[in-house]
CSV table of all heavy atoms in Angstrom, one decimal:
chain,number,residue,atom,x,y,z
A,29,MET,N,0.8,-1.2,0.0
A,29,MET,CA,0.0,0.0,0.0
A,29,MET,C,0.9,1.3,0.0
A,29,MET,O,0.5,2.2,-0.6
A,29,MET,CB,-0.9,0.0,1.2
A,29,MET,CG,-2.1,-0.9,1.1
A,29,MET,SD,-3.1,-0.6,-0.3
A,29,MET,CE,-4.2,0.6,0.3
A,30,ASP,N,2.0,1.2,0.6
A,30,ASP,CA,2.9,2.4,0.7
A,30,ASP,C,3.4,2.8,-0.7
A,30,ASP,O,3.5,3.9,-1.0
A,30,ASP,CB,4.1,2.1,1.6
A,30,ASP,CG,4.9,3.4,1.9
A,30,ASP,OD1,4.2,4.4,2.1
A,30,ASP,OD2,6.1,3.3,2.0
A,31,TYR,N,3.6,1.7,-1.5
A,31,TYR,CA,4.1,2.0,-2.9
A,31,TYR,C,3.0,2.7,-3.7
A,31,TYR,O,3.3,3.7,-4.4
A,31,TYR,CB,4.4,0.6,-3.5
A,31,TYR,CG,4.8,0.8,-5.0
A,31,TYR,CD1,6.1,1.3,-5.3
A,31,TYR,CD2,3.9,0.4,-6.0
A,31,TYR,CE1,6.4,1.4,-6.7
A,31,TYR,CE2,4.3,0.5,-7.3
A,31,TYR,CZ,5.5,1.0,-7.7
A,31,TYR,OH,5.9,1.1,-9.0
A,32,ILE,N,1.7,2.3,-3.5
A,32,ILE,CA,0.7,3.0,-4.2
A,32,ILE,C,0.5,4.4,-3.8
A,32,ILE,O,0.3,5.3,-4.6
A,32,ILE,CB,-0.7,2.2,-4.0
A,32,ILE,CG1,-0.6,0.8,-4.6
A,32,ILE,CG2,-1.9,3.0,-4.6
A,32,ILE,CD1,-1.8,-0.1,-4.3
A,33,GLY,N,0.7,4.7,-2.5
A,33,GLY,CA,0.7,6.1,-2.0
A,33,GLY,C,1.7,7.0,-2.7
A,33,GLY,O,1.5,8.1,-3.0
A,34,LYS,N,2.9,6.4,-2.8
A,34,LYS,CA,4.1,7.1,-3.4
A,34,LYS,C,3.8,7.4,-4.9
A,34,LYS,O,4.1,8.5,-5.4
A,34,LYS,CB,5.4,6.4,-3.2
A,34,LYS,CG,5.9,6.3,-1.8
A,34,LYS,CD,7.2,5.6,-1.7
A,34,LYS,CE,7.7,5.5,-0.3
A,34,LYS,NZ,8.9,4.7,-0.2
A,35,VAL,N,3.2,6.4,-5.6
A,35,VAL,CA,2.9,6.6,-7.0
A,35,VAL,C,1.8,7.7,-7.1
A,35,VAL,O,2.0,8.5,-8.0
A,35,VAL,CB,2.4,5.3,-7.6
A,35,VAL,CG1,1.9,5.5,-9.0
A,35,VAL,CG2,3.6,4.3,-7.6
A,36,LEU,N,0.8,7.7,-6.3
A,36,LEU,CA,-0.2,8.7,-6.4
A,36,LEU,C,0.3,10.1,-6.1
A,36,LEU,O,-0.1,11.0,-6.8
A,36,LEU,CB,-1.4,8.4,-5.4
A,36,LEU,CG,-2.2,7.2,-5.8
A,36,LEU,CD1,-3.2,6.9,-4.6
A,36,LEU,CD2,-3.0,7.4,-7.1
A,37,GLU,N,1.2,10.2,-5.2
A,37,GLU,CA,1.9,11.5,-4.9
A,37,GLU,C,2.6,12.0,-6.1
A,37,GLU,O,2.6,13.2,-6.4
A,37,GLU,CB,2.8,11.4,-3.6
A,37,GLU,CG,2.0,11.4,-2.3
A,37,GLU,CD,1.1,12.6,-2.1
A,37,GLU,OE1,1.6,13.7,-2.3
A,37,GLU,OE2,0.0,12.4,-1.6
A,38,LYS,N,3.4,11.1,-6.7
A,38,LYS,CA,4.2,11.5,-7.9
A,38,LYS,C,3.2,12.0,-9.0
A,38,LYS,O,3.5,13.0,-9.7
A,38,LYS,CB,5.0,10.3,-8.4
A,38,LYS,CG,6.3,10.2,-7.7
A,38,LYS,CD,7.2,11.3,-8.0
A,38,LYS,CE,8.5,11.1,-7.4
A,38,LYS,NZ,9.4,12.3,-7.6
A,39,ILE,N,2.1,11.2,-9.3
A,39,ILE,CA,1.1,11.6,-10.3
A,39,ILE,C,0.6,13.0,-10.0
A,39,ILE,O,0.4,13.8,-10.9
A,39,ILE,CB,0.0,10.6,-10.4
A,39,ILE,CG1,0.6,9.3,-11.0
A,39,ILE,CG2,-1.1,11.1,-11.3
A,39,ILE,CD1,-0.3,8.1,-11.0
A,40,LYS,N,0.2,13.3,-8.7
A,40,LYS,CA,-0.3,14.6,-8.3
A,40,LYS,C,0.7,15.7,-8.6
A,40,LYS,O,0.4,16.8,-9.1
A,40,LYS,CB,-0.7,14.6,-6.8
A,40,LYS,CG,-1.9,13.8,-6.5
A,40,LYS,CD,-2.2,13.9,-5.0
A,40,LYS,CE,-3.4,13.0,-4.6
A,40,LYS,NZ,-3.6,13.0,-3.1
A,41,GLU,N,2.0,15.4,-8.3
A,41,GLU,CA,3.0,16.4,-8.5
A,41,GLU,C,3.2,16.7,-10.0
A,41,GLU,O,3.3,17.8,-10.4
A,41,GLU,CB,4.4,15.9,-7.9
A,41,GLU,CG,5.5,16.8,-8.0
A,41,GLU,CD,6.8,16.3,-7.4
A,41,GLU,OE1,6.7,15.5,-6.5
A,41,GLU,OE2,7.9,16.6,-7.9
A,42,TRP,N,3.2,15.6,-10.8
A,42,TRP,CA,3.3,15.8,-12.3
A,42,TRP,C,2.1,16.6,-12.8
A,42,TRP,O,2.3,17.4,-13.7
A,42,TRP,CB,3.4,14.5,-13.0
A,42,TRP,CG,4.8,13.8,-12.7
A,42,TRP,CD1,5.9,14.3,-12.3
A,42,TRP,CD2,5.0,12.4,-12.9
A,42,TRP,NE1,6.9,13.4,-12.2
A,42,TRP,CE2,6.4,12.1,-12.6
A,42,TRP,CE3,4.3,11.3,-13.3
A,42,TRP,CZ2,7.0,10.9,-12.6
A,42,TRP,CZ3,4.8,10.0,-13.3
A,42,TRP,CH2,6.2,9.8,-13.0
A,43,ALA,N,0.9,16.3,-12.3
A,43,ALA,CA,-0.3,17.0,-12.8
A,43,ALA,C,-0.2,18.4,-12.4
A,43,ALA,O,-0.5,19.3,-13.3
A,43,ALA,CB,-1.5,16.3,-12.2
A,44,ARG,N,0.3,18.8,-11.2
A,44,ARG,CA,0.4,20.2,-10.8
A,44,ARG,C,1.4,20.9,-11.7
A,44,ARG,O,1.2,22.0,-12.1
A,44,ARG,CB,0.9,20.2,-9.3
A,44,ARG,CG,1.0,21.6,-8.8
A,44,ARG,CD,1.5,21.6,-7.3
A,44,ARG,NE,2.7,20.9,-7.2
A,44,ARG,CZ,4.0,21.4,-7.5
A,44,ARG,NH1,4.1,22.6,-8.0
A,44,ARG,NH2,5.0,20.7,-7.3
A,45,ARG,N,2.5,20.2,-11.9
A,45,ARG,CA,3.6,20.9,-12.8
A,45,ARG,C,3.0,21.1,-14.2
A,45,ARG,O,3.3,22.2,-14.8
A,45,ARG,CB,4.8,20.0,-12.9
A,45,ARG,CG,5.6,20.0,-11.6
A,45,ARG,CD,6.9,19.2,-11.9
A,45,ARG,NE,7.6,19.0,-10.6
A,45,ARG,CZ,8.8,18.3,-10.5
A,45,ARG,NH1,9.2,17.7,-11.6
A,45,ARG,NH2,9.4,18.2,-9.4
A,46,LEU,N,2.3,20.1,-14.7
A,46,LEU,CA,1.7,20.3,-16.1
A,46,LEU,C,0.7,21.4,-16.1
A,46,LEU,O,0.7,22.3,-17.1
A,46,LEU,CB,1.0,19.0,-16.5
A,46,LEU,CG,0.3,19.0,-17.8
A,46,LEU,CD1,1.3,19.2,-19.0
A,46,LEU,CD2,-0.5,17.7,-18.0
A,47,ILE,N,-0.1,21.6,-15.1
A,47,ILE,CA,-1.1,22.7,-15.1
A,47,ILE,C,-0.4,24.0,-15.0
A,47,ILE,O,-0.7,25.0,-15.6
A,47,ILE,CB,-2.1,22.4,-13.9
A,47,ILE,CG1,-3.0,21.3,-14.3
A,47,ILE,CG2,-2.9,23.7,-13.7
A,47,ILE,CD1,-3.8,20.8,-13.1
A,48,GLU,N,0.7,24.1,-14.1
A,48,GLU,CA,1.4,25.3,-14.0
A,48,GLU,C,2.1,25.7,-15.3
A,48,GLU,O,2.2,26.8,-15.7
A,48,GLU,CB,2.5,25.2,-12.9
A,48,GLU,CG,1.9,25.3,-11.5
A,48,GLU,CD,3.0,25.3,-10.4
A,48,GLU,OE1,4.2,25.2,-10.8
A,48,GLU,OE2,2.6,25.3,-9.3
A,49,THR,N,2.6,24.7,-16.1
A,49,THR,CA,3.2,25.0,-17.3
A,49,THR,C,2.2,25.5,-18.4
A,49,THR,O,2.5,26.4,-19.1
A,49,THR,CB,3.9,23.6,-17.8
A,49,THR,OG1,4.9,23.2,-16.9
A,49,THR,CG2,4.6,23.9,-19.2
A,50,LEU,N,1.1,24.9,-18.4
A,50,LEU,CA,0.1,25.3,-19.4
A,50,LEU,C,-0.6,26.6,-19.0
A,50,LEU,O,-0.9,27.4,-19.9
A,50,LEU,CB,-1.0,24.2,-19.5
A,50,LEU,CG,-0.5,22.8,-20.1
A,50,LEU,CD1,-1.6,21.8,-20.1
A,50,LEU,CD2,0.0,23.0,-21.5
A,51,LEU,N,-0.9,26.8,-17.8
A,51,LEU,CA,-1.7,28.0,-17.4
A,51,LEU,C,-0.9,29.1,-16.7
A,51,LEU,O,-1.4,30.2,-16.5
A,51,LEU,CB,-2.8,27.6,-16.4
A,51,LEU,CG,-3.8,26.6,-16.9
A,51,LEU,CD1,-4.8,26.2,-15.8
A,51,LEU,CD2,-4.6,27.1,-18.1
A,52,GLY,N,0.4,28.8,-16.4
A,52,GLY,CA,1.2,29.7,-15.7
A,52,GLY,C,1.0,29.5,-14.2
A,52,GLY,O,0.1,28.8,-13.8
A,53,PRO,N,1.9,30.0,-13.4
A,53,PRO,CA,1.8,29.8,-11.9
A,53,PRO,C,0.6,30.5,-11.3
A,53,PRO,O,0.4,31.7,-11.6
A,53,PRO,CB,3.1,30.3,-11.4
A,53,PRO,CG,3.6,31.3,-12.4
A,53,PRO,CD,3.0,30.8,-13.7
A,54,ASP,N,-0.1,29.9,-10.5
A,54,ASP,CA,-1.2,30.5,-9.7
A,54,ASP,C,-2.0,31.6,-10.5
A,54,ASP,O,-1.6,32.8,-10.3
A,54,ASP,CB,-0.8,31.0,-8.4
A,54,ASP,CG,-0.3,29.9,-7.4
A,54,ASP,OD1,-0.8,28.8,-7.7
A,54,ASP,OD2,0.5,30.2,-6.6
A,55,VAL,N,-3.0,31.2,-11.2
A,55,VAL,CA,-3.7,32.2,-11.9
A,55,VAL,C,-4.4,33.2,-11.0
A,55,VAL,O,-5.1,32.8,-10.1
A,55,VAL,CB,-4.8,31.5,-12.8
A,55,VAL,CG1,-5.6,32.5,-13.6
A,55,VAL,CG2,-4.1,30.5,-13.8
A,56,GLN,N,-4.1,34.5,-11.2
A,56,GLN,CA,-4.7,35.5,-10.3
A,56,GLN,C,-5.6,36.4,-11.1
A,56,GLN,O,-5.3,36.7,-12.3
A,56,GLN,CB,-3.6,36.3,-9.7
A,56,GLN,CG,-2.7,35.5,-8.8
A,56,GLN,CD,-1.5,36.3,-8.2
A,56,GLN,OE1,-1.4,37.5,-8.6
A,56,GLN,NE2,-0.7,35.8,-7.4
A,57,PRO,N,-6.7,36.9,-10.5
A,57,PRO,CA,-7.5,37.8,-11.3
A,57,PRO,C,-6.8,39.1,-11.5
A,57,PRO,O,-6.0,39.5,-10.8
A,57,PRO,CB,-8.7,38.0,-10.3
A,57,PRO,CG,-8.2,37.6,-9.0
A,57,PRO,CD,-7.1,36.6,-9.2
A,58,GLU,N,-7.2,39.8,-12.6
A,58,GLU,CA,-6.6,41.1,-12.9
A,58,GLU,C,-7.0,42.1,-11.9
A,58,GLU,O,-8.2,42.1,-11.5
A,58,GLU,CB,-7.1,41.6,-14.3
A,58,GLU,CG,-6.3,41.0,-15.4
A,58,GLU,CD,-6.6,41.7,-16.7
A,58,GLU,OE1,-6.8,42.9,-16.7
A,58,GLU,OE2,-6.6,41.0,-17.8
A,59,PRO,N,-6.1,43.0,-11.4
A,59,PRO,CA,-6.5,44.0,-10.5
A,59,PRO,C,-7.5,45.0,-11.1
A,59,PRO,O,-7.3,45.3,-12.3
A,59,PRO,CB,-5.2,44.6,-10.0
A,59,PRO,CG,-4.3,44.3,-11.1
A,59,PRO,CD,-4.7,43.0,-11.8
A,60,GLU,N,-8.4,45.5,-10.4
A,60,GLU,CA,-9.3,46.5,-10.9
A,60,GLU,C,-8.6,47.9,-11.1
A,60,GLU,O,-7.7,48.3,-10.3
A,60,GLU,CB,-10.5,46.7,-10.0
A,60,GLU,CG,-11.4,45.5,-9.9
A,60,GLU,CD,-12.6,45.8,-9.1
A,60,GLU,OE1,-13.1,47.0,-9.0
A,60,GLU,OE2,-13.1,44.9,-8.5
A,61,PRO,N,-8.8,48.6,-12.2
A,61,PRO,CA,-8.1,49.9,-12.4
A,61,PRO,C,-8.6,50.9,-11.4
A,61,PRO,O,-9.8,50.9,-10.9
A,61,PRO,CB,-8.6,50.3,-13.8
A,61,PRO,CG,-9.8,49.5,-14.1
A,61,PRO,CD,-9.7,48.2,-13.3
A,62,ILE,N,-7.7,51.7,-11.0
A,62,ILE,CA,-8.0,52.8,-10.0
A,62,ILE,C,-8.6,54.0,-10.7
A,62,ILE,O,-7.9,54.5,-11.6
A,62,ILE,CB,-6.7,53.1,-9.2
A,62,ILE,CG1,-6.2,51.9,-8.5
A,62,ILE,CG2,-7.0,54.3,-8.2
A,62,ILE,CD1,-4.8,52.1,-7.9
A,63,PRO,N,-9.7,54.4,-10.3
A,63,PRO,CA,-10.3,55.6,-11.0
A,63,PRO,C,-9.5,56.9,-10.7
A,63,PRO,O,-9.1,57.1,-9.6
A,63,PRO,CB,-11.7,55.7,-10.5
A,63,PRO,CG,-11.7,54.9,-9.2
A,63,PRO,CD,-10.6,53.9,-9.3
A,64,ILE,N,-9.2,57.7,-11.7
A,64,ILE,CA,-8.4,58.9,-11.6
A,64,ILE,C,-9.4,60.1,-11.7
A,64,ILE,O,-10.0,60.2,-12.8
A,64,ILE,CB,-7.3,59.0,-12.6
A,64,ILE,CG1,-6.4,57.8,-12.4
A,64,ILE,CG2,-6.5,60.3,-12.5
A,64,ILE,CD1,-5.3,57.6,-13.5
A,65,PRO,N,-9.4,60.9,-10.7
A,65,PRO,CA,-10.3,62.1,-10.9
A,65,PRO,C,-9.8,63.0,-11.9
A,65,PRO,O,-8.6,63.3,-12.0
A,65,PRO,CB,-10.3,62.7,-9.5
A,65,PRO,CG,-9.1,62.2,-8.8
A,65,PRO,CD,-8.8,60.9,-9.5
A,66,VAL,N,-10.7,63.6,-12.7
A,66,VAL,CA,-10.4,64.5,-13.8
A,66,VAL,C,-11.1,65.8,-13.6
A,66,VAL,O,-12.3,65.8,-13.3
A,66,VAL,CB,-10.8,63.9,-15.2
A,66,VAL,CG1,-10.5,64.9,-16.3
A,66,VAL,CG2,-10.1,62.5,-15.4
A,67,ASP,N,-10.4,66.9,-13.6
A,67,ASP,CA,-10.9,68.2,-13.5
A,67,ASP,C,-11.5,68.6,-14.8
A,67,ASP,O,-10.8,69.0,-15.7
A,67,ASP,CB,-9.9,69.2,-13.0
A,67,ASP,CG,-10.5,70.6,-12.7
A,67,ASP,OD1,-11.7,70.7,-12.6
A,67,ASP,OD2,-9.7,71.6,-12.6
A,68,ASP,N,-12.8,68.5,-15.0
A,68,ASP,CA,-13.5,68.7,-16.2
A,68,ASP,C,-14.1,70.2,-16.3
A,68,ASP,O,-14.7,70.5,-17.3
A,68,ASP,CB,-14.6,67.7,-16.4
A,68,ASP,CG,-14.8,67.3,-17.9
A,68,ASP,OD1,-14.0,67.7,-18.7
A,68,ASP,OD2,-15.8,66.7,-18.1
A,69,SER,N,-13.8,71.0,-15.3
A,69,SER,CA,-14.4,72.3,-15.3
A,69,SER,C,-13.9,73.2,-16.4
A,69,SER,O,-14.5,74.1,-16.9
A,69,SER,CB,-14.2,73.0,-14.0
A,69,SER,OG,-12.8,73.1,-13.7
A,70,GLY,N,-12.6,73.1,-16.9
A,70,GLY,CA,-12.0,73.9,-17.9
A,70,GLY,C,-12.6,73.7,-19.3
A,70,GLY,O,-12.6,74.5,-20.1
A,71,ARG,N,-13.2,72.5,-19.5
A,71,ARG,CA,-13.7,72.2,-20.8
A,71,ARG,C,-15.1,72.7,-21.0
A,71,ARG,O,-15.6,72.8,-22.1
A,71,ARG,CB,-13.8,70.7,-21.0
A,71,ARG,CG,-12.4,70.1,-21.1
A,71,ARG,CD,-12.5,68.6,-21.5
A,71,ARG,NE,-11.2,68.0,-21.7
A,71,ARG,CZ,-11.0,66.7,-21.9
A,71,ARG,NH1,-12.1,65.9,-22.1
A,71,ARG,NH2,-9.8,66.3,-22.1
A,72,ARG,N,-15.8,73.0,-20.0
A,72,ARG,CA,-17.2,73.4,-20.0
A,72,ARG,C,-17.4,74.9,-20.3
A,72,ARG,O,-18.5,75.4,-20.5
A,72,ARG,CB,-18.0,73.0,-18.7
A,72,ARG,CG,-18.1,71.5,-18.5
A,72,ARG,CD,-18.9,71.2,-17.3
A,72,ARG,NE,-18.9,69.7,-17.1
A,72,ARG,CZ,-19.5,69.2,-16.1
A,72,ARG,NH1,-20.1,69.9,-15.2
A,72,ARG,NH2,-19.4,67.8,-16.0
A,73,ARG,N,-16.4,75.6,-20.3
A,73,ARG,CA,-16.5,77.1,-20.5
A,73,ARG,C,-16.8,77.4,-21.9
A,73,ARG,O,-16.5,76.9,-22.9
A,73,ARG,CB,-15.2,77.8,-20.1
A,73,ARG,CG,-15.0,77.7,-18.6
A,73,ARG,CD,-13.8,78.5,-18.2
A,73,ARG,NE,-13.5,78.3,-16.8
A,73,ARG,CZ,-12.5,78.8,-16.2
A,73,ARG,NH1,-11.6,79.5,-16.8
A,73,ARG,NH2,-12.4,78.6,-14.9
C-alpha cells in the first residue's frame, strides 16, 4: 500500500507541474483599475 501512495503523490506532482506549465503559476484575477479624478471644469467654458 505504501508503494501505491508514493505513486499517487508523484502523479499529483506531475499533474500540478503540467497545469502550472500550461496555465502559468497560480492564476490571479486582474486588479481593478483605480479611477483617476479628472478636473473637467475647464472644458465646459
Side-chain angles (χ1 to χ4, degrees):
M29 284 303 274
D30 190 40
Y31 176 75
I32 294 173
K34 288 180 181 179
V35 170
L36 288 175
E37 285 299 318
K38 278 290 185 187
I39 291 173
K40 286 180 187 178
E41 184 180 329
W42 289 340
R44 182 184 53 80
R45 286 185 188 176
L46 178 63
I47 291 170
E48 283 184 1
T49 301
L50 294 175
L51 301 178
D54 292 338
V55 178
Q56 297 176 356
E58 278 190 35
E60 292 186 28
I62 300 172
I64 300 173
V66 176
D67 185 16
D68 213 12
S69 60
R71 291 186 179 178
R72 294 184 183 179
R73 291 184 187 176

